[in-house]
Amino acid sequence: MMRDAKDPRSPPRDPIARSNAPDAFIQPMGAAKLQLKIGGMACSFCVASITKALGRMDGVCDVNVNLAHEETLIQYEPTKVTPARLKETLLDLGYTVRDASQARSSEEEEAELRNQLENLLTAAGFTAVALGAMSLMWLDLLPPQGMAALYWLMPILALSTVFGPGWHILSMAWASLRRGILNQHVLLEFGAFAGIVGGFLGYVLPAFPLPDFLGVAVFVTTYHILSGYVSLLVRTRASQAVRKLLALVPATARVVRDGREEEVPVEDVRPGEWVRVRPGEAIPVDGDVVEGASSVDESLVSGESIPEEKLPGAAVIGGSINQYGTLLVRVTKVGAESFLSQVARQVEEARALKPGILVLVDRVLQVFVPAVLLFAAGAVLAWTLGAWAVTGSADWTRAIFAGLAVLVMGYPCALGMATPLAMIRGGGMAAERGILMRSAEAFQALKDVRWVVLDKTGTLTRGKPAVIEIVALAEHRGYDKRDALRLAASAEAESEHPLARAVVAAAQAQGLPLAKAEDFQAAPGRGITATVEAHRVAVGSPSFVASEGVDMTAASERIRSLQEAGNTVIALAANGELRALFAIADEIKPDAKEAIERLRAAGLEPVMLTGDNARTARAVAQKVGITDYRAEVLPQGKADVVRELQRQGHRVVMVGDGINDAPALMQADVGIAIGAGTDIAIESADVVLVGDRLGAVVDAYFIGKASYRKTVQNLSLAFAFNGIGIPLAATGLVHPVWAMIAMAASVSAVLANSFAGRLLPRLRRPRNSQPVGDIHET
């Protein structure tokens, strides 16, 4: 069914109208907003740490942190807290901060990756030395002098690892702990320092094996650095792959000043100035045409698939694409009032309202971290107060040993690798299918999706006009569709109009030889006349051809039916006689109908949104098999539709490619951008499709589900060793060497599980898909 069609009595629509949704992002009176990019985030626990730390500050009203886009949006009261203080808190937590407007370069990302790799290699070197020395000890191959040296070597290795390559983790753990935040960094440091304390107790208490305790401190720190590096590597490569899809040319405009053109940054353009836009260029500002004529592709901003004719006096929107003519535009809106700026603000609001997704590992850690600390405290109490109550004396040696052993055993080394390894496996499979997964949250959210909202123009369709049908009106004289197409294309060959190019492309696709056109004349926005092989030809809108003295009466009913089917109709006349009609429309992608069938077969319900008119929307929905579609939807309205479905308790995917899709892509639980789309759409998405294959949406869904299953398996393996080892360690009978064995076993098991076996069944098209019900309007 079609919804949200515009009432014909309503005034002309504003493509940037604001939402009146009751849950729209509202800034408290007197509050300011600060948007920052944050470096150093690794997982959703980092998001929780930042949210808690900032949220507890006096004067902070609201905090929203987005892991996939590495940024935060903070609402605060300027009279109580300053932006400098907020940035200082983030820096104190161990993260890097920069303004949201400053793009992060590949060089910065590579520098961070190299720094992490250097830390990993340093820690791995310490681990190799420690493991080699301890192996000789376990095999009883060390002479007495070697054992004495080991008792001095192990403290040096442990302290060097924790306070050297592990210093950054230690700083972040301390910053979190003193704010009452328990996260994976805190858990690591409890385990590492338990090993250090146990090791140094070994100098005075023989019951504490010094090399083993100190060895644990080295190993857990190294494994934590390894898991952080793997996570960073996955995120950096995904980020760089996305950046390659984006245009890196700075936004400029050609401003005409004192009769000369000057290329200046868009932000320096002022209202009232004149800007020249050449064919094929994006219009950089909102304004009115003062000179020239052209067609402008506004599909990326308005959803209208057929280019709009622009003559002097017509309004143009920044972000739309000029087609064939040069335009001189008088600037009417710049800065915050412009269309693109308002879309950017809507994206920001959608980001603030985007539902948070706490990945599985962090949900488990929320319980696991306190449980480890309680077990450690319980072990100490059991062997002190408990032993005193039973035997009349506290066993302090065993209590300390048990408490330290629990903390040592409590850090699951494979934990940090469980999700990244599943991402690497799933991400590799996705990349083979032209899909770039940007975050772990996208993998998890995809498994719960029930609604898939799809933009029409550029997503379900190709986003450019094509000849859909030819109606030859003189077949009784041996005149067929190929003759009509050849004649029309020959006449239109000199035209740069998008509809003319569609006719020429159709003729070229059929291999038709074109004749030379003479006396070519164009009526901008209406049609052309020319002489082709001694025939005086007119091609253009029905009204234009009629104005050339051609009787259109016999074809009026056929024209009306083609237009009602959502087509733009152009007519061909030769020597004053109507010869043919051409139905032109935005061509539907070849795999669109199959993709919709596969979505339904997977239990997903598709919804189509478009800024185009209801007639065109209905025609496209019928052809691809979608029953729920919304026409004439504004950019903010798309985000409202997504939000409406989310309020009903559904996880929602949004698929789009245009500027007008960006707020909805950001609002959705998973935003999927077509890689051939606009920069702002790609930047707003969680998943990017390289190319325009719509079937990749279904592939991404199945890959997300399979990757989540693999993550659950990895986490089960990672926690299994610790879940058994912690209660045993509380007895005070478990030697620290078993913690290292558990680490090696759990990491090996997770590695083997991540890359063993088939991740996905073969993806097939569903057979005998059920027919789609009738489409009707309400």
Side-chain angles (χ1 to χ4, degrees), residues 182-531:
L182 299 178
N183 55 28
Q184 81 278 29
H185 303 310
V186 173
L187 182 60
L188 163 73
E189 297 304 340
F190 272 122
F193 276 91
I196 291 173
V197 171
F200 278 96
L201 285 175
Y203 281 115
V204 294
L205 297 174
F208 290 79
L210 181 148
D212 301 87
F213 269 111
L214 293 172
V216 168
V218 175
F219 295 155
V220 295
T221 303
T222 300
Y223 274 120
H224 193 83
I225 294 172
L226 172 62
S227 64
Y229 174 75
V230 172
S231 297
L232 179 64
L233 181 65
V234 171
R235 293 171 58 78
T236 299
R237 293 298 176 243
S239 174
Q240 291 177 346
V242 169
R243 186 179 289 110
K244 290 177 182 178
L245 296 173
L246 303 180
L248 300 179
V249 179
T252 59
R254 291 191 185 89
V255 179
V256 179
R257 294 171 177 167
D258 300 325
R260 295 182 10 227
E261 288 185 14
E262 297 180 23
E263 191 163 319
V264 301
V266 171
E267 56 267 22
D268 293 342
V269 179
R270 297 290 174 261
E273 291 192 302
W274 289 11
V275 172
R276 192 177 303 280
V277 185
R278 293 194 169 90
E281 294 180 344
I283 298 175
V285 294
D286 295 359
D288 298 323
V289 177
V290 295
E291 183 181 298
S294 181
S295 288
V296 174
D297 181 359
E298 296 182 341
S299 61
L300 295 178
V301 295
S302 70
E304 297 284 351
S305 54
I306 301 299
E308 293 283 332
E309 298 299 330
K310 300 297 180 181
L311 300 173
V316 293
I317 302 173
S320 51
I321 308 298
N322 185 30
Q323 297 284 297
Y324 63 85
T326 297
L327 296 175
L328 192 61
V329 177
R330 182 177 60 83
V331 180
T332 57
K333 295 179 181 178
V334 294
E337 296 181 355
S338 68
F339 174 81
L340 293 179
S341 294
Q342 294 196 36
V343 168
R345 186 161 61 248
Q346 290 163 5
V347 170
E348 179 182 284
E349 295 175 358
R351 181 181 293 116
L353 292 168
K354 185 184 182 85
I357 299 172
L358 189 62
V359 296
L360 178 63
V361 62
D362 300 328
R363 289 209 306 267
V364 175
L365 273 173
Q366 284 183 330
V367 177
F368 187 77
V369 174
V372 171
L373 301 181
L374 287 174
F375 259 101
V380 173
L381 292 174
W383 293 111
T384 52
L385 294 179
W388 177 80
V390 175
T391 65
S393 63
D395 191 343
W396 283 101
T397 300
R398 193 167 188 176
I400 296 173
F401 190 99
L404 295 176
V406 168
L407 293 175
V408 166
M409 184 66 76
Y411 180 72
C413 293
L415 173 66
M417 303 176 68
T419 299
L421 286 173
M423 280 186 64
I424 290 173
R425 179 76 190 280
M429 177 168 287
E432 292 174 1
R433 290 168 169 77
I435 304 166
L436 297 176
M437 297 283 202
R438 299 183 66 182
S439 67
E441 287 80 358
F443 281 94
Q444 176 159 330
L446 280 168
K447 74 176 179 62
D448 297 320
V449 164
R450 288 297 172 266
W451 290 84
V452 179
V453 180
L454 303 109
D455 171 53
K456 176 183 75 69
T457 307
T459 301
L460 289 167
T461 66
R462 291 190 180 278
K464 60 181 180 180
V467 176
I468 304 299
E469 184 178 351
I470 302 174
V471 180
L473 301 174
E475 291 182 331
H476 60 284
R477 281 177 288 213
Y479 192 83
D480 61 15
K481 297 178 181 180
R482 289 173 58 86
D483 295 326
L485 179 60
R486 177 178 177 274
L487 184 61
S490 298
E492 297 260 44
E494 298 296 323
S495 175
E496 294 295 328
H497 193 282
L499 299 186
R501 305 316 304 163
V503 173
V504 174
Q508 291 173 340
Q510 295 190 27
L512 300 178
L514 302 186
K516 181 175 178 57
E518 300 176 340
D519 300 328
F520 177 88
Q521 293 182 335
R526 302 185 63 211
I528 63 98
T529 58
T531 300

Side-chain angles (χ1 to χ4, degrees), residues 1 3-4 21 23 353 355 448-454 604-609 628-630 637-655 664 667-670:
M1 58 188 159
R3 305 177 186 172
D4 297 341
D23 60 347
L353 292 168
D448 297 320
V449 164
R450 288 297 172 266
W451 290 84
V452 179
V453 180
L454 303 109
L604 306 178
E605 189 61 33
V607 180
M608 186 185 79
L609 304 182
D628 188 351
Y629 65 95
R630 326 282 175 95
K638 293 185 178 183
D640 290 340
V641 172
V642 172
R643 205 171 294 133
E644 172 193 336
L645 294 172
Q646 289 171 334
R647 281 200 301 265
Q648 298 170 14
H650 303 298
R651 291 288 189 192
V652 181
V653 163
M654 171 69 195
V655 188
Q667 176 64 46
D669 297 283
V670 180

Side-chain angles (χ1 to χ4, degrees), residues 517-553:
E518 300 176 340
D519 300 328
F520 177 88
Q521 293 182 335
R526 302 185 63 211
I528 63 98
T529 58
T531 300
V532 179
E533 295 178 335
H535 298 290
R536 189 58 184 168
V537 177
V539 186
S541 66
S543 60
F544 170 76
V545 174
S547 71
E548 293 293 310
V550 179
D551 183 9
M552 306 290 293
T553 306

